[in-house]
């Protein structure tokens, strides 16, 4: 069935180090993937997205990598800062099916140590 | 440009009462989505609406829950005869067609 999962529930990194958050998905029909950041008491905040016709996309301090062969998605955060501490969710969608439905993973908590 | 707005931010209801959650999409967005989040869990899709139409309600419980997005005004998620298991954070998102969904701050529903 459909599922999006994350390999690690909590990731602790030192300020200034790079962070890598992983995600596995199982729906072959998914062609659009998004990473969201959620701080305590707030709604998910869009970070970066990628379509299935790409394998890498870069933003400001963030990079998303997509490996369709093994159905794996990762979010890399360069020079992690205390303000990056939050729960990170990957989500998938089959845009071609026009369902609009996002399937979220369980989330990885990123803790940044000063 | 204001983001997605939701109200109330916090809602307390007793068992058996009705809960009404409102969502105003971002300006120019014609698509609205509702998700539910239980503590320590990811968001679960509930329903996808366009103006005056329900496109996908595959995540909505069969009873007590309904949603609408009228021609004028905000989208409403309505929960009748609430039970304690309905306690959760309810998030609304909006988007243009086939574009990124942007989320509101959520409504935290507590059923006593």
């Amino acid at each position: 069935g459909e599922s999006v999962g994350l390999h690690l529930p909590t990731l602790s990194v030192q300020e200034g180090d790079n962070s890598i958050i992983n995600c596995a998905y199982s729906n072959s029909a998914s062609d659009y993937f998004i990473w969201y950041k959620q701080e305590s008491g707030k709604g998910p905040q869009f970070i970066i997205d990628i379509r299935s016709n790409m394998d890498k996309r870069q933003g400001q301090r963030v990079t998303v990598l997509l490996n369709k062969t093994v159905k794996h998605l990762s979010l890399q955060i360069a020079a992690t800062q205390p303000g990056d501490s939050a729960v990170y969710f990957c989500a998938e969608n089959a845009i071609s099916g026009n369902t609009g439905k996002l399937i979220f993973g369980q989330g990885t908590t990123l803790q940044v140590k000063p | 440009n204001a983001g997605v707005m939701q109200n109330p931010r916090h809602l307390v209801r007793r068992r058996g009462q009705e809960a009404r959650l409102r969502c105003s999409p971002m300006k120019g967005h014609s698509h609205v989505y509702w998700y539910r989040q239980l503590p320590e869990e990811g968001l679960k899709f509930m329903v996808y609406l366009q103006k005056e139409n329900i496109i996908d309600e595959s995540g909505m419980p069969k009873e007590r829950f309904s949603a609408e997005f009228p021609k004028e005004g905000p989208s409403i998620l309505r929960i009748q005869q609430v039970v304690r298991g309905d306690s959760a954070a309810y998030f609304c998102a909006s988007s243009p067609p086939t574009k990124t969904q942007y989320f509101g701050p959520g409504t935290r529903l507590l059923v006593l």
Side-chain angles (χ1 to χ4, degrees):
Chain A
E2 300 175 336
S3 69
V4 177
L6 290 152
H7 295 315
L8 295 173
T10 303
L11 177 65
S12 185
V13 300
Q14 204 72 36
E15 181 179 358
D17 288 351
N18 296 334
S19 303
I20 300 176
I21 300 172
N22 295 304
C23 177
Y25 67 94
S26 61
N27 186 358
S28 300
S30 294
D31 54 11
Y32 179 56
F33 305 88
I34 315 102
W35 282 100
Y36 287 95
K37 170 187 179 183
Q38 187 177 27
E39 297 173 283
S40 182
K42 297 184 178 180
Q45 176 188 351
F46 171 83
I47 301 174
I48 192 167
D49 59 2
I50 188 167
R51 297 191 186 274
S52 58
N53 60 352
M54 303 172 69
D55 53 21
K56 180 179 180 179
R57 190 165 188 221
Q58 289 184 291
Q60 188 176 12
R61 280 201 308 119
V62 294
T63 301
V64 55
L65 299 177
L66 175 63
N67 185 330
K68 295 180 287 293
T69 302
V70 295
K71 296 178 185 171
H72 184 267
L73 191 71
S74 68
L75 176 71
Q76 300 177 2
I77 305 174
T80 313
Q81 303 169 358
D84 295 327
S85 294
V87 179
Y88 289 80
F89 293 96
C90 62
E92 62 178 307
N93 177 230
I95 285 185
S96 55
N98 198 32
T99 67
K101 173 181 178 179
L102 287 179
I103 301 170
F104 280 80
Q106 290 300 303
T108 292
T109 300
L110 177 63
Q111 298 174 340
V112 182
K113 295 177 287 186
Chain B
N1 186 16
V4 178
M5 299 175 67
Q6 290 187 250
N7 68 81
R9 295 291 307 276
H10 299 273
L11 183 60
V12 179
R13 286 288 178 264
R14 296 191 181 280
R15 282 178 296 170
Q17 291 184 320
E18 178 179 288
R20 282 188 178 230
L21 287 62
R22 296 174 191 78
C23 170
S24 296
M26 288 178 69
K27 187 176 180 180
H29 287 188
S30 57
H31 296 230
V32 165
Y33 316 80
W34 286 93
Y35 294 83
R36 176 165 60 179
Q37 185 177 36
L38 296 173
E40 307 299 319
E41 292 190 9
L43 283 75
K44 302 293 186 191
F45 170 82
M46 298 181 76
V47 62
Y48 164 35
L49 309 106
Q50 296 177 23
K51 286 283 187 181
E52 300 184 283
N53 283 304
I54 297 175
I55 307 302
D56 181 355
E57 56 180 347
S58 59
M60 288 281 272
K62 293 287 186 277
E63 298 177 346
R64 303 188 297 109
F65 285 72
S66 62
E68 63 176 3
F69 188 18
K71 187 177 181 180
E72 301 291 338
S75 175
I76 306 287
L77 179 67
R78 181 184 179 201
I79 312 172
Q80 296 178 290
Q81 300 175 324
V82 295
V83 300
R84 287 204 174 124
D86 297 332
S87 296
Y90 292 83
F91 291 97
C92 168
S94 73
S95 76
T98 66
K99 296 292 186 184
T100 303
Q101 295 179 28
Y102 292 90
F103 284 81
T107 294
R108 273 96 185 143
L109 173 65
L110 175 63
V111 179
L112 301 177

